[in-house]
Amino acid sequence: MSRAIVLVHGAQHSSTCWTPTVAALAALRPDIEVLAVDLPGRRTNPADLRTVGIADCVASVVADVERIGADEVILVAHSMAGVTVPGVAEALGAQRVSRMVYIAAAMPPNGESVLQDLVGDLQQDVTDKVADPGEPAPFPREFAERMFCNGMTPEQLEFSVAGLCADSDLLATTPVDRSGMPTSIPRSWILTGQDRAVTPDQQRAHIDNLGGVEDVVEIDTCHNVMISEPEMLAKVFAEYFDRS
């Protein structure tokens, strides 16, 4: 039976953001197959970002899983991927998804949008971005550094901001529907303790919104943990792989 860990990136990012963690996991456990996907509108998956919605992202991830022929997967959702992975789990079914792992994930109450669930400066910044009639664009560097990269080394910070890309506003403005997500699939949460984009308190509320989370692993780092602490994250993934 073919098993794989499927890594789904968040907003303003692509599969490239997982590169340090994929390398760390390959060094630690070369036996584990890893798939880092590009959601629609990224370099390997072109699409019109003005029309890409949650359903399009779900279909894209499912197609990537089918392409590698994985019989069983662990689905990993970072940040905005929290709106996509429940639909992927629904499409693949509990017989093929052995675990869902959410990392600082966007998880509004069911029936609400991510934008409705945001608070403070981030809500205003995203609202302003959604209201901008121009072409989709990445967040300004200063904003990205503050929200995603606090505490990183200079090299990690440069890697992070170099990989930023434009994203679809629909992912933030469309109400989520998790009603079809199989409740029998184990759920885990990786809580980023120094996160400015999704604060620890917000993440705890998101854990409650998701429900059924059986364990929480806290890593004392920024939002982009896959870049700031790749070795630590790789160890957590390997443990989940062995448990699933």
Side-chain angles (χ1 to χ4, degrees), residues 46-65:
D48 184 351
L49 286 173
R50 293 168 296 184
T51 63
V52 169
I54 294 173
D56 300 302
C57 293
V58 169
S60 180
V61 177
V62 171
D64 284 340
V65 171

Side-chain angles (χ1 to χ4, degrees), residues 21 78 103 192 219 221-230 233:
T21 294
H78 177 248
I103 306 173
T192 41
I219 300 179
T221 192
C222 62
H223 189 65
N224 279 6
V225 59
M226 73 287 289
I227 297 170
S228 62
E229 296 290 350
L233 193 58

Side-chain angles (χ1 to χ4, degrees), residues 4-49:
I5 298 177
V6 179
L7 307 175
V8 187
H9 62 78
Q12 305 269 314
H13 290 72
S14 72
S15 62
T16 303
C17 72
W18 296 106
T19 300
T21 294
V22 171
L25 190 55
L28 178 69
R29 290 286 301 274
D31 59 304
I32 298 178
E33 182 175 7
V34 181
L35 170 66
V37 305
D38 272 325
L39 292 178
R42 271 60 180 188
R43 55 197 179 92
T44 66
N45 192 3
D48 184 351
L49 286 173

Side-chain angles (χ1 to χ4, degrees), residues 81-106:
V83 306
T84 294
V85 161
V88 178
E90 178 181 359
L92 294 177
Q95 69 276 12
R96 293 183 67 187
V97 181
S98 60
R99 182 174 298 273
M100 292 180 284
V101 181
Y102 293 93
I103 306 173

